[in-house]
Amino acid sequence: AIKTRHERAIISGLERAGLRLLHTQLNHRQAYQAMFLHGSTLDELNTSEVNGIAEAQRNALSLASELIEVLAPEPANVLECV
């Protein structure tokens, strides 16, 4: 996705502050909007009614995987929480 001037400025400020940023972005997708419109999950959306469900699922999975790496970098930590 192409970043706006404002997004680039915000990211630059966060980096200068030494904050860790995620590499994965949750892209603006029709499927995410449809989730709220229909009150459903990505898996529950109808592919004949909503475009880009598979791409949204991959994007969401990528973000979730990165969040897990950041929050629980060692597999043992995840198992101890269960």
Side-chain angles (χ1 to χ4, degrees):
I2 299 172
K3 291 181 179 68
T4 67
R5 183 179 322 144
H6 292 109
E7 288 173 313
R8 289 191 305 268
I10 291 167
I11 290 169
S12 178
L14 293 172
E15 289 173 338
R16 282 193 309 275
L19 297 174
R20 180 177 178 175
L21 303 179
L22 298 175
H23 298 288
T24 306
Q25 295 182 7
L26 197 57
N27 299 320
H28 182 79
R29 297 187 183 278
Q30 182 182 8
Y32 296 142
Q33 293 175 344
M35 288 173 49
F36 291 98
L37 178 66
H38 299 292
S40 61
T41 66
L42 288 172
D43 291 332
E44 296 169 336
L45 292 174
N46 187 334
T47 56
S48 65
E49 296 175 7
V50 181
N51 294 325
I53 294 173
E55 292 85 356
Q57 289 171 324
R58 283 192 293 275
N59 185 212
L61 180 60
S62 179
L63 179 62
S65 296
E66 186 174 355
L67 285 169
I68 289 170
E69 285 180 27
V70 170
L71 298 175
E74 297 179 29
N77 291 347
V78 174
L79 295 176
E80 291 172 8
C81 295
V82 176

